[in-house]
């Protein structure tokens, strides 16, 4: 049985597009970047830790597989996680405005006997953001709970002038890479 270790409705929606039955695990795994840890290593580690925590929660279920993901927005060497408040969200978006940044999504799939992982990197370019547009977006509240203070699937689409990579990866679960992992585990065609 497949279980998704995520509270994200976007990840559940994306995984459901593959037509698989799965359970959802509610986990609270700390997402803290270690000092000097490269952004990709950090994202990989967090995805692996979420999957491992999910597997521990299912201890005793021999056929259990746990899928977990982590997605972060990276500009230069700065990792933009979820903003703590509206001011933090506005700060992040001002830094991203008019620039290209990388969205890294790591996906881990684990069972008691096997561990698989894949990483998706996408380059997202924002146009300039006027103060009025920034105020409009912050007032919408859509930034809440989203790495980098935006979701590609929502109103923030108006910011994006170019995407090189995976749309679903920027949403939080790169489907091409995820389906490949599931195929390796014998759960998808």
């Amino acid at each position: 049985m497949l279980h998704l270790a995520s509270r994200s409705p976007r990840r559940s929606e994306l995984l459901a597009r593959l037509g698989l039955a799965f359970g959802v695990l509610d986990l609270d795994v700390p997402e803290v970047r270690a000092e000097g840890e490269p952004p990709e290593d950090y994202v990989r580690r967090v995805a692996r830790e979420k999957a491992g925590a999910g597997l521990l929660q299912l201890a005793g279920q021999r056929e259990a597989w746990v899928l977990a993901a982590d997605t972060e927005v990276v500009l230069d060497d700065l990792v933009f996680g979820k903003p703590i408040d509206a001011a933090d969200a506005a700060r992040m978006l001002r830094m991203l405005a008019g620039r290209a940044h990388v969205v890294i999504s790591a996906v881990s799939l684990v069972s008691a006997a096997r561990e698989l992982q894949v990483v998706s990197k996408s380059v997202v370019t924002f146009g300039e953001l006027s103060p009025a547009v920034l105020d409009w977006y912050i007032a919408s509240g859509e930034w809440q709970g989203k790495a980098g203070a935006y979701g590609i699937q929502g109103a923030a689409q108006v910011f994006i002038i170019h995407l090189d990579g995976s749309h679903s990866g920027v949403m939080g679960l790169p489907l091409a890479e995820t389906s490949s992992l599931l195929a390796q585990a014998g759960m998808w065609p």
Side-chain angles (χ1 to χ4, degrees):
M1 169 78 180
L2 179 63
H3 299 271
L4 176 63
S6 178
R7 289 182 266 189
S8 166
R10 289 169 303 282
R11 286 196 180 111
S12 288
E13 172 195 328
L14 288 166
L15 186 57
R17 291 179 188 178
L18 297 178
L20 299 171
F22 61 92
V24 177
L25 302 174
D26 188 3
L27 302 171
D28 189 19
V29 175
E31 297 181 24
V32 179
R33 183 179 175 200
E35 189 175 327
E37 186 175 26
E40 183 176 334
D41 292 353
Y42 165 63
V43 176
R44 281 179 176 273
R45 178 179 55 79
V46 171
R48 190 176 307 110
E49 287 175 358
K50 289 177 181 179
L55 199 58
L56 282 175
Q57 193 175 72
L58 298 169
Q61 295 185 28
R62 295 175 42 130
E63 303 299 319
W65 283 89
V66 177
L67 181 79
D70 188 50
T71 299
E72 300 293 345
V73 171
V74 179
L75 179 66
D76 301 323
D77 191 49
L78 296 174
V79 175
F80 292 71
K82 297 171 185 146
I84 56 172
D85 57 24
D88 192 34
R91 176 192 62 80
M92 289 180 188
L93 293 170
R94 278 193 296 274
M95 290 178 73
L96 297 173
R99 300 191 60 193
H101 60 273
V102 177
V103 178
I104 303 172
S105 285
V107 181
S108 287
L109 180 64
V110 300
S111 71
R114 198 162 174 203
E115 179 180 340
L116 304 166
Q117 189 176 64
V118 68
V119 172
S120 167
K121 292 183 189 178
S122 301
V123 178
V124 179
T125 306
F126 275 17
E128 295 295 336
L129 302 179
S130 71
V133 167
L134 186 58
D135 289 346
W136 161 78
Y137 186 73
I138 296 299
S140 77
E142 189 178 281
W143 53 269
Q144 295 176 8
K146 294 181 176 70
Y150 78 93
I152 194 171
Q153 70 278 8
Q157 290 179 61
V158 301
F159 305 160
I160 300 167
I161 59 174
H162 187 74
L163 168 64
D164 182 12
S166 170
H167 186 272
S168 59
V170 176
M171 281 179 68
L173 189 68
L175 287 180
E177 292 83 352
T178 300
S179 64
S180 175
L181 285 185
L182 291 165
Q184 289 176 53
M187 288 185 276
W188 203 73

